[in-house]
Amino acid sequence: MNKLKYAIIGCGRRGMALYKDGALKGRDDAVCVALCDVYEDRLNALSEEVKKDTGSSPVLYNDYRRCIDEAGVQAVVISTAWDSHLDIAMYAMERGIPAGVEVGGAYSLDSLWRLVRCYERSGTPVMLLENCCYGRLELLALNMKRLGLLGKIVYCEGGYCHDLREQIAFGLENRHYRFLQYKNRNTENYPTHEIGPIAKLLDINCGNRFLSLHSVSTKSVGMQEYIEAHGPERLKGETFNQGDIISTTIKCQNGEAVNIVLDTSLPRYYSRRFTVRGSKGIISEDNMSVYLAKEHKEEIIDWSSEFNNINKYYEKYDHPLWRNYDQKGGHGGLDWLVMTAFFNAVKDKKSMPVDVYDMATYMAITVLAEESLATGNTVYFPDFTEGKWMLRQNNFASENED
């Protein structure tokens, strides 16, 4: 294949950003030939972007089934609302068309088992487009771990800490799916940004696995106060089920502990809280620093001198994907890297870097956290690999990746 032909299914905020911000626009390896959305204005707006880029108009569809069946594509990129991701992906997989699926949580474990069985039956790969697995800091940590510089990893933290109050409050006006999630559910609804890089670091599904999970929720006040001050008027007096901060602790087969946090309905700065604790050092996103025991033999009184030292570690230990990368395309380059990984895997018929077992594992956190919060209990993780985690190798972002 020269240029891989693909369709974008879901032309709203995320679909438009993937294309317009450069992750999909102007590529040498792939071209968008079809678009699908239930809203005509979104279809037409993204169609104009594709036409400006490629010089030709993509075929437009309102039904994803017709798009997959008729457009003659070799892959699909699914960027719809969360509740339709898996159904569209499985429809494509059953027809031999690999799917790259945008992130989000699941609604049931049964739907994830059906996704896994669909892959095992059809042999058609699916990739979770978890761009944070390709973050520069996250890949620095992976590289330093593989070099033995962090020692034995004991504990990791991550978070999706992002003030989304305006997006949630005006969700119905903007046809955005988050409003109904926060109105009706209470769970860790967006776990994959934080858990994806950690799972790759801890060899999850490749010699290690998640064993159990326990979640704790705060009360919900952030959205009500925001709406009282900023609207919309129709929601004045409404309550939301979603707690303002959800903290989830996960225990791993090999003895590590992981804590992830969802924090999206209170005022705050953006952070993914990425933290790695090893027997020889620590990497921390919130102060952008690395501390290695071998480099700090004397007690330091003023720790502020150690903060924001990350650049010297990038100079020494930057992951090759970033060392050889000219930084183009969405979210500081993450979107370009994840789409390149997906298209390369499709064209070369290689395993997906974030494959069906990873996808099911990460998305299951939403379902399990919902149960844990509702019951107050620790819940146990299903093993979607059914024992294959003991044999699989973690080749993510390595020269041996296959």
Side-chain angles (χ1 to χ4, degrees), residues 155-193:
Y155 175 79
C156 295
E157 291 182 16
Y160 186 63
C161 305
H162 188 185
D163 186 350
L164 296 175
R165 291 174 297 164
E166 180 180 4
Q167 184 183 114
I168 297 162
F170 292 92
L172 294 182
E173 286 81 356
N174 296 326
R175 296 172 297 186
H176 197 285
Y177 46 83
R178 270 197 169 101
F179 170 78
L180 292 176
Q181 301 292 323
Y182 282 70
K183 184 77 178 74
N184 297 299
R185 303 180 81 184
N186 185 29
T187 186
E188 169 40 280
N189 61 47
Y190 205 61
T192 72
H193 280 345

Side-chain angles (χ1 to χ4, degrees), residues 264-282:
T264 54
S265 49
L266 295 171
R268 63 158 300 122
Y269 57 89
Y270 180 87
S271 172
R272 296 201 295 275
R273 287 184 56 168
F274 182 68
T275 306
V276 181
R277 300 294 308 278
S279 58
K280 295 181 180 179
I282 176 175

Side-chain angles (χ1 to χ4, degrees), residues 9 85 142 249 264:
I9 301 177
H85 283 178
L142 182 65
T249 300
T264 54

Side-chain angles (χ1 to χ4, degrees), residues 35-91:
L35 299 173
C36 181
D37 201 286
V38 295
Y39 296 110
E40 292 289 339
D41 59 324
R42 291 177 172 176
L43 268 178
N44 293 332
L46 187 48
S47 178
E48 286 301 311
E49 292 294 326
V50 174
K51 186 176 180 180
K52 284 190 290 185
D53 178 35
T54 66
S56 59
S57 297
V59 183
L60 306 184
Y61 296 92
N62 297 118
D63 184 334
Y64 72 83
R65 299 169 187 83
R66 286 191 58 210
C67 179
I68 291 168
D69 291 339
E70 299 174 8
V73 296
Q74 296 151 312
V76 293
V77 174
I78 299 169
S79 50
T80 57
W82 299 340
D83 58 2
S84 58
H85 283 178
L86 298 186
D87 287 342
I88 300 172
M90 286 186 283
Y91 191 88

Side-chain angles (χ1 to χ4, degrees), residues 108-122:
S108 71
L109 295 181
D110 178 67
S111 66
L112 297 173
W113 277 113
R114 286 189 286 112
L115 177 75
V116 170
R117 297 294 183 234
C118 181
Y119 165 72
E120 292 174 340
R121 181 177 63 253
S122 68

Side-chain angles (χ1 to χ4, degrees), residues 179-227:
F179 170 78
L180 292 176
Q181 301 292 323
Y182 282 70
K183 184 77 178 74
N184 297 299
R185 303 180 81 184
N186 185 29
T187 186
E188 169 40 280
N189 61 47
Y190 205 61
T192 72
H193 280 345
E194 51 267 41
I195 205 63
I198 291 171
K200 291 302 182 184
L201 187 80
L202 296 180
D203 302 320
I204 299 302
N205 294 329
C206 298
N208 197 4
R209 63 175 292 248
F210 294 143
L211 283 181
S212 63
L213 173 155
H214 188 87
S215 294
V216 176
S217 172
T218 71
K219 59 187 174 182
S220 175
V221 297
M223 287 307 305
Q224 292 95 323
E225 289 194 5
Y226 179 87
I227 288 167

